[in-house]
Amino acid sequence: MTDNTAMVADPSAQDFLENLEDLDQASSEGDLADGLEAVHDVPVRVQAVLGRSRMPIGELLRLQTGMVIELDRKVGEPVDIFVNDRLIARGEVVLIDESLGVTLTEIVQSEK
């Protein structure tokens, strides 16, 4: 298991991550069919959501540079990580050189 994930909320999510790593390792060793490698280059949309806000259109139209939009999160609360509009994890915002990043702190168990 890599050190990229600080905490996994659900043991079954932990198993899932370990299985993914095993599959990736096996794939790199040539033990799996080439079919799995075919999805390695499939692009997905990844979003880190700091929070959300709702406002009437009139208020939206009055927004100007320097105005603050209050979000539904508090300072220090984890951000949500979505892949193709599906919540998969939560994490903490970090600064990497002069860029922002997210350290994963929780893998979210998908609801079926």
Side-chain angles (χ1 to χ4, degrees):
M1 185 75 192
T2 63
D3 292 329
N4 292 345
T5 304
M7 175 182 79
V8 177
D10 184 324
S12 61
Q14 177 75 33
D15 292 342
F16 175 75
L17 286 174
E18 289 173 357
N19 288 338
L20 278 180
E21 289 178 351
D22 291 345
L23 285 174
D24 191 46
Q25 178 69 24
S27 177
S28 66
E29 294 173 358
D31 292 343
L32 291 179
D34 291 333
L36 186 58
E37 286 186 16
V39 297
H40 281 218
D41 292 331
V42 174
V44 294
R45 184 173 54 139
V46 179
Q47 297 174 301
V49 178
L50 295 173
R52 294 181 173 83
S53 183
R54 294 182 71 90
M55 66 180 65
I57 291 176
E59 188 177 333
L60 178 68
L61 294 173
R62 288 189 295 275
L63 289 176
Q64 297 178 13
T65 301
M67 295 179 108
V68 175
I69 299 172
E70 187 175 342
L71 301 176
D72 62 352
R73 300 273 173 96
K74 305 291 183 216
V75 173
E77 284 188 48
V79 297
D80 292 333
I81 307 300
F82 289 87
V83 174
N84 288 348
D85 297 321
R86 177 176 284 176
L87 178 65
I88 59 120
R90 292 191 177 86
E92 298 175 353
V93 177
V94 294
L95 185 62
I96 306 167
D97 296 322
E98 293 189 21
S99 298
L100 292 175
V102 177
T103 299
L104 298 182
T105 58
E106 175 187 357
I107 303 299
V108 176
Q109 181 67 30
S110 64
E111 296 177 14
K112 295 183 180 182

